[in-house]
Amino acid sequence: MAQATQAAGAPLERFEHLYINGQWVKPIDGGMIESIDPATGRPWALVAMGGRGDIDLAVEAARAAFRGPWRRMPGHERAAVLRRFADAYQAAIPEMAVLESRDSGRIIVDCRADLGAHVQWYQWFASLADKAQGATIPIDDSVHCFTTRVPVGVVGAITPWNAPLLTICLKLGAALAAGCTLVVKPSDNTPVTTLLLGRIAQQAGLPPGVLNIVPGNGRAVGEHLVAHPGVDKISFTGAGATAKQMLRTGADTLKRFTFELGGKAPHIIFADADLEQALNSATSSAWTNCGQSCALGARVLVERPVYDRVVEMFRARAATVKVGMPLDEATRMGPQNSRQQLEKTLSYFDIGRAEGAELIAGGRRIDAPGLAEGYFVEPTVYAGADNRMRIAREEIFGPVATIIPFEGEDEAVEIANDTPYGLTSGLWTNDLGRAHRVANRIEAGIVWVNTYRFLRWSTPYGGFRQSGWGRENGIDALDPYLETRTTVISTTGQAANPYA
C-alpha cells in the first residue's frame, strides 16, 4: 500500500525548474510556490512558477521549433516520436500516479487506471500524424487545384487542476500529431505532473522547443500567453467565465480558440431501466473525483414510478462510499482539490437547504480523525428538487447529486435541455426505440446510453452551447490544429494582358 501521508515537518519535495527549449531552467521573473496536499491541507512540495518573461522565452523557443525541424518532419517520423513518448510515459506511470494523487487529491487507483489509458491516447494520436490529407478540386484542364492541411503554428495549452495529465494529453497528442509546437501552462494548483512531461519529452527525443512547460498564475501568466502575438492558437479547458475573458484578450491577434468548458449533465433513468446497473453508473458519475469533473452526472432525472426507489438507493449507496486518504488503496473518494473549492461546495449545501431541497445524504464537511485537516466532504444527495434550483443549474464541482422527477419522454428531454450547458448526458432504458428517440433529442456533445463516462481516444468529445468550442479525441481532434491551404497551378502558364 502506498504511503498515505507526508509526515509533519518532513522536507518538501522540490520542483525548481521550468521546461523551456528542451532545457530545465530557473524562472527569470517568476518564483516558487508551495503546493498544498488536499488530503492534509499542508504543503508537500515547492514548485517553480514562471512569469511573463518566461512565457516570452517559451514562445520564442516554440516559434523557432515550428519554423525548424518539427513542422518539416514527415508525419511518419512525428508518429515515431509520439510512440516513443507513449512508451516513456508508460514507464513513468508508477511515479506519476503517486505525484498526481498528492498534487490533485485524486485517488491512487483512479490515477493509475487513467494514466494507463493515456498511453493508448498517445498511441492513437501517433497513428494520426500522417493522416492529414488534402483533396483535389476539379475545375478544368487549364489548372490543377488541390488543398493541403498544414499545422496552425504555436499552441498555448492551458489546463485545469481536476485532471491535469488527462487534459494535457488530449491537447498535446493532437497538436504534436498535427505538427504544431506548444507552450503549456498548467494550473498553479496542480503543476507537478505536467512538469514531468518535460523529462518524458527528452527521453522520447522531442526536438528542443517543441514542448515548453511554464506553470504560473492564471491572471498574469495565462493572460500574457493568450495575448502573445507569437501564439497562433489557444486550447483551454476550464471555466466559461475564463474562456470569455480569453476571447477578449486574444481579440487583437485574432488567434484561434478551442474550449472544453463546464457542464451540468442530465443522467436520465426511465422506469424500465435495470435500476441496479443504472445506480452503479449514476452514483459513480455523481461522486467520482469528489465531484470535480465537467462530465459529472449531477442532475439525476428519474421517472415518477421508480423515483422513490431510486432516492432510497442513492441514500443507501452514499453510506457505503469509502472516503479517505487518496493514496490508500481502499479509498473510493478523496478530497476536494483546494480550500477554495471546499468552501464553494459547502456554500452550495447551504443553498440547497435554503431552496427547500430535501437532503437525503451527506451535506457536511468530514471531521473524522485523520481527515479533518484535509478538504473532505460527504457524498451528498438532494431529492425533491426541480430544475429551477441553483443546485440543479449551477456547476458545483463537488460530490452533489440532485434528483429530479419527470413524467415521460417529453418532460425528460425538456428538463435535460433546460441548461446553458451541453457537454455530456446519459440515459438508462431497456426500450431500444426510446433510447434512440431520446438520445436524438438531447442537446449535448456526447450521449451515453446504458453506460456513462465511456471515453476513448477515438470518440470525439466536446460540448454544445456554453460547454465549449471544438472537439477533442477522435479524428476530429486534429482539425483545430490544422489550416487548409489551397494551391492553384496553371497547366498552360498563359496569362492574358488585361491592358491590351
Side-chain angles (χ1 to χ4, degrees):
M1 182 180 296
Q3 182 181 354
T5 61
Q6 178 172 354
L12 302 183
E13 297 196 36
R14 302 180 72 89
F15 303 87
E16 301 182 58
H17 297 85
L18 314 174
Y19 185 69
I20 298 176
N21 202 26
Q23 302 293 321
W24 294 102
V25 298
K26 293 285 186 73
I28 60 172
D29 64 351
M32 302 284 288
I33 66 164
E34 292 180 337
S35 183
I36 303 300
D37 183 340
T40 65
R42 297 193 302 266
W44 75 280
L46 283 171
V47 188
M49 291 285 118
R52 293 166 63 94
D54 299 296
I55 289 292
D56 290 340
L57 289 177
V59 173
E60 180 182 352
R63 291 225 67 83
F66 182 67
R67 291 191 300 266
W70 191 247
R71 182 183 188 181
R72 296 197 300 268
M73 186 180 290
H76 68 276
E77 293 184 15
R78 288 202 307 275
V81 174
L82 269 167
R83 292 189 182 99
R84 292 197 300 270
F85 189 97
D87 291 342
Y89 191 96
Q90 184 167 36
I93 285 175
E95 175 190 8
M96 290 201 301
V98 172
L99 294 175
E100 178 106 332
S101 181
R102 297 193 70 184
D103 211 24
S104 70
R106 301 187 70 211
I107 62 174
I108 188 68
V109 292
D110 284 354
C111 288
R112 285 200 204 101
D114 285 359
L115 269 61
H118 300 172
V119 176
Q120 300 303 316
W121 255 284
Y122 284 117
Q123 294 284 8
W124 162 261
F125 288 124
S127 75
L128 298 182
D130 58 358
K131 305 299 189 298
Q133 298 177 344
T136 58
I137 302 173
I139 298 178
D140 59 44
D141 290 344
S142 67
V143 293
H144 176 55
C145 183
F146 61 95
T147 64
T148 47
R149 305 301 305 282
V150 296
V152 70
V154 174
V155 175
I158 301 176
T159 57
W161 46 259
N162 60 321
L165 285 175
L166 172 60
T167 49
I168 189 54
C169 170
L170 304 184
K171 304 176 191 312
L172 177 61
L176 293 183
C180 297
T181 58
L182 296 99
V183 177
V184 177
K185 194 209 83 65
S187 167
D188 50 2
N189 277 357
T190 54
V192 169
T193 48
T194 303
L195 278 170
L196 293 187
L197 295 180
R199 187 180 70 191
I200 292 172
Q202 290 176 321
Q203 294 169 347
L206 210 63
V210 172
L211 173 62
N212 307 273
I213 305 167
V214 183
N217 176 269
R219 186 171 298 277
V221 176
E223 284 190 6
H224 187 55
L225 179 61
V226 172
H228 203 293
V231 174
D232 301 291
K233 171 185 168 51
I234 294 293
S235 178
F236 169 69
T237 299
T242 305
K244 293 171 186 177
Q245 180 58 46
M246 286 181 174
L247 290 174
R248 290 186 285 267
T249 301
D252 285 345
T253 54
L254 285 179
K255 53 174 53 72
R256 286 130 183 83
F257 288 91
T258 50
F259 296 130
E260 198 270 277
L261 306 175
K264 194 71 175 180
H267 200 157
I268 306 168
I269 301 175
F270 285 97
D272 67 339
D274 182 329
L275 293 187
E276 285 294 328
Q277 299 304 317
L279 265 289
N280 288 344
S281 179
T283 55
S284 171
S285 67
W287 300 324
T288 189
N289 196 20
C290 200
Q292 297 165 132
S293 168
C294 50
L296 198 72
R299 290 185 297 146
V300 185
L301 314 185
V302 184
E303 200 165 18
R304 283 281 185 189
V306 294
Y307 182 81
D308 291 340
R309 184 178 171 192
V310 168
V311 168
E312 287 306 311
M313 292 174 78
F314 254 94
R315 187 204 305 269
R317 296 291 181 93
T320 68
V321 178
K322 167 64 174 173
V323 181
M325 301 302 285
L327 292 179
D328 185 339
E329 302 282 349
T331 294
R332 290 299 174 265
M333 193 178 92
Q336 300 270 260
N337 173 264
S338 65
R339 180 171 295 280
Q340 180 182 13
Q341 181 56 46
L342 170 68
E343 291 173 352
K344 178 183 176 184
T345 298
L346 294 177
S347 75
Y348 275 95
F349 294 161
D350 295 334
I351 290 168
R353 284 190 291 270
E355 290 182 319
E358 181 184 0
L359 181 64
I360 296 299
R364 295 186 308 114
R365 182 176 182 178
I366 296 176
D367 56 6
L371 303 181
E373 299 302 316
Y375 306 140
F376 295 91
V377 295
E378 295 176 330
T380 298
V381 185
Y382 287 101
D386 68 57
N387 206 51
R388 294 168 295 181
M389 293 180 175
R390 289 180 61 189
I391 58 171
R393 302 198 66 80
E394 299 175 6
E395 191 174 36
I396 298 172
F397 243 52
V400 182
T402 302
I403 308 180
I404 302 170
F406 70 86
E407 297 276 4
E409 291 179 23
D410 288 343
E411 187 178 16
V413 171
E414 181 182 358
I415 296 172
N417 291 339
D418 181 18
T419 172
Y421 299 109
L423 184 58
T424 63
S425 61
L427 66 99
W428 285 79
T429 178
N430 282 324
D431 182 330
L432 181 61
R434 168 180 283 160
H436 281 283
R437 287 193 304 271
V438 175
N440 194 50
R441 296 171 65 189
I442 298 295
E443 297 168 357
I446 189 165
V447 181
W448 290 297
V449 180
N450 293 339
T451 186
Y452 202 88
R453 290 178 62 83
F454 183 92
L455 289 177
R456 293 297 185 272
W457 34 92
S458 54
T459 54
Y461 183 76
F464 290 15
R465 296 193 292 258
Q466 293 187 35
S467 284
W469 290 357
R471 292 295 179 267
E472 296 181 313
N473 287 353
I475 296 173
D476 294 359
L478 257 62
D479 284 343
Y481 299 96
L482 294 169
E483 298 277 25
T484 297
R485 178 174 57 209
T486 301
T487 302
V488 180
I489 300 176
S490 171
T491 60
T492 65
Q494 301 299 308
N497 181 353
Y499 309 111

